[in-house]
Amino acid sequence: AQSVTQPDIHITVSEGASLELRCNYSYGATPYLFWYVQSPGQGLQLLLKYFSGDTLVQGIKGFEAEFKRSQSSFNLRKPSVHWSDAAEYFCAVLGSNYKLTFGKGTLLTVNP
Amino acid sequence: ETGVTQTPRHLVMGMTNKKSLKCEQHLGHNAMYWYKQSAKKPLELMFVYNFKEQTENNSVPSRFSPECPNSSHLFLHLHTLQPEDSALYLCASSQASQRGPYNEQFFGPGTRLTVL
């Protein structure tokens, strides 16, 4: 069965600083990977996805993620964080039977 | 309306009540999903409907009963719930193909359910 680990429960960064959120996955076949963001009281919004091809994928809001098969990782990055990026971020892997397995999420706080 | 909509956004019910959550997707997708999001727990997949057929029931108690009358609408009927069922219930949809479910899921804003 697939699984996703987000090792950081809570991260605090200053506005303008760079950001990296970690994600490790476990899946037997080629993974289909996603990053979603959730603002308080809202549903999940897709930031980016990896299906195949270029291992560095670009998403919305200036986010990017890099797939590293050797490390079973799909870390999310942003070069300069904005206060509006404060939210909870979820990494997910899509397996068989339409099952999207999520990590527990990383809460991002942005200090002015 | 665009995307995935859910009603009501908030619901408070007693343990003996019967209520229903509604989800509608305006994206032309053919697969729909119910998820439960509880505090301090990962998102849990509850049900999957593919082309209106239920293809997944992730060991959900029978007090939750899904219904998918067409590919655009999904309901979650609730009866005799417990306080621990209080959570955010999220609906999602995606475009499944013959190759498989290899497409992203789009989520609604959720229904915040409180069971007293």
Side-chain angles (χ1 to χ4, degrees):
Chain A
Q2 65 254 35
S3 66
V4 175
T5 301
Q6 293 180 247
D8 304 305
I9 297 174
H10 189 189
I11 283 183
T12 299
V13 299
S14 298
E15 192 168 16
S18 63
L19 172 70
E20 182 169 33
L21 302 182
R22 296 183 290 164
C23 172
N24 293 96
Y25 68 90
S26 173
Y27 185 60
T30 300
Y32 295 82
L33 297 160
F34 306 84
W35 273 99
Y36 284 88
V37 61
Q38 185 178 33
S39 298
Q42 301 297 314
L44 278 71
Q45 181 183 21
L46 179 69
L47 283 176
L48 47 78
K49 63 186 179 186
Y50 171 78
F51 284 177
S52 64
D54 193 346
T55 56
L56 183 64
V57 293
Q58 302 297 321
I60 62 171
K61 304 184 180 187
F63 285 92
E64 66 178 25
E66 186 171 13
F67 170 60
K68 293 185 178 180
R69 184 185 298 274
S70 61
Q71 298 177 20
S72 298
S73 69
F74 188 56
N75 295 347
L76 182 72
R77 300 193 295 248
K78 186 170 184 178
S80 178
V81 171
H82 188 262
W83 63 266
S84 60
D85 294 323
E88 192 157 20
Y89 292 79
F90 294 91
C91 180
V93 61
L94 181 64
S96 60
N97 294 329
Y98 307 90
K99 277 195 164 185
L100 192 60
T101 300
F102 288 85
K104 292 185 177 182
T106 297
L107 181 64
L108 174 66
T109 298
V110 181
N111 287 334
Chain B
E1 292 281 13
T2 59
V4 181
T5 58
Q6 291 186 242
T7 55
R9 293 292 309 275
H10 301 271
L11 178 62
V12 179
M13 59 187 290
M15 290 191 285
T16 58
N17 292 158
K18 288 185 179 182
K19 297 287 185 183
S20 295
L21 310 185
K22 179 183 176 182
C23 174
E24 184 173 1
Q25 60 94 1
H26 310 268
L27 300 168
H29 291 163
N30 52 25
M32 296 187 76
Y33 313 76
W34 280 117
Y35 288 86
K36 177 183 179 182
Q37 187 178 30
S38 306
K40 303 187 186 302
K41 293 178 69 175
L43 277 143
E44 302 171 72
L45 178 66
M46 300 174 72
F47 302 103
V48 180
Y49 277 82
N50 185 26
F51 294 95
K52 299 187 296 178
E53 298 296 322
Q54 185 176 320
T55 57
E56 183 80 18
N57 176 339
N58 203 25
S59 303
V60 180
S62 59
R63 57 185 183 270
F64 294 92
S65 174
E67 179 190 2
C68 188
N70 55 61
S71 58
S72 297
H73 294 85
L74 184 65
F75 295 89
L76 188 63
H77 304 299
L78 316 171
H79 64 100
T80 59
L81 294 191
Q82 305 298 311
E84 60 265 29
D85 296 322
S86 299
L88 182 67
Y89 288 85
L90 292 163
C91 173
S93 71
S94 72
Q95 185 61 28
S97 70
Q98 295 300 321
R99 292 189 306 117
Y102 307 123
N103 289 295
E104 61 268 35
Q105 294 179 19
F106 292 83
F107 284 79
T111 295
R112 173 67 64 185
L113 174 67
T114 302
V115 182
L116 301 177

